[in-house]
Amino acid sequence: MITIAEAQLNEIREHGVRDYPYECCGLLLGRYRENGKVVTETYPISNAREESAKRNRFLITPEELLRGERYARERDLEVVGFYHSHPDSPAVPSNYDLEHAWPTYSYIIVSTSEGQATDLFSWEQQPDRSRFNREEVGIV
């Protein structure tokens, strides 16, 4: 389970709409708890993909990831997951998402179309990396 405030969910939706028709991406910052993850902050990141691939792929450079991890550490937080958008596509992980994900993290995906964000779901990768399972989202 992942617990997140409606304000952070809105930040993710707004980031997706703002970057449309390209994928947006960012970090989910918070803490690991016994009963799941608690997100207290989102950390938007610029999609570093080449222009032609930004529509259906995102890339976080190592430097951006390190900057986000430092930002989290300075606030006594951890990176507990990632978020990104699927422009004009369902909020369901793609095969590309599966191949590039890491177990234990949460992956929030928001479906976007021109001017709006629709479905938003969180996913966790199986420990054997074979598939994603939909993760329950608790809103605070």
Side-chain angles (χ1 to χ4, degrees):
M1 176 175 190
I2 186 167
T3 304
I4 187 168
E6 189 67 45
Q8 277 79 42
L9 292 174
N10 286 335
E11 289 170 3
I12 293 168
R13 289 180 184 107
E14 289 167 8
H15 189 184
V17 169
R18 191 170 56 249
D19 283 12
Y20 180 87
Y22 304 116
E23 285 197 9
C24 76
C25 57
L27 306 179
L28 302 171
L29 307 180
R31 296 199 187 328
Y32 287 94
R33 298 287 187 220
E34 222 173 90
N35 59 342
K37 302 167 205 90
V38 177
V39 176
T40 57
E41 197 171 333
T42 62
Y43 186 86
I45 292 180
S46 296
N47 185 346
R49 275 275 175 218
E50 292 298 318
E51 193 73 23
S52 61
K54 279 181 159 180
R55 191 155 166 70
N56 62 357
R57 299 278 186 270
F58 74 92
L59 175 67
I60 298 173
T61 64
E63 296 81 16
E64 284 279 356
L65 181 57
L66 186 58
R67 197 172 5 263
E69 288 174 334
R70 274 194 208 118
Y71 176 90
R73 217 175 10 260
E74 289 167 0
R75 285 152 183 76
D76 197 28
L77 299 172
E78 303 170 273
V79 175
V80 298
F82 300 86
Y83 71 85
H84 71 281
S85 62
H86 279 185
D88 300 317
S89 294
V92 175
S94 66
N95 285 333
Y96 183 87
D97 292 335
L98 182 64
E99 292 168 4
H100 293 86
W102 299 314
T104 74
Y105 288 110
S106 290
Y107 291 86
I108 291 180
I109 302 175
V110 61
S111 179
T112 58
S113 60
E114 192 164 346
Q116 66 178 350
T118 54
D119 294 335
L120 183 148
F121 301 113
S122 187
W123 304 87
E124 275 186 309
Q125 190 180 53
Q126 291 252 134
D128 67 2
R129 302 188 70 193
S130 63
R131 66 185 179 115
F132 277 101
N133 297 313
R134 194 148 148 205
E135 182 177 35
E136 182 182 350
V137 177
I139 301 174
V140 292

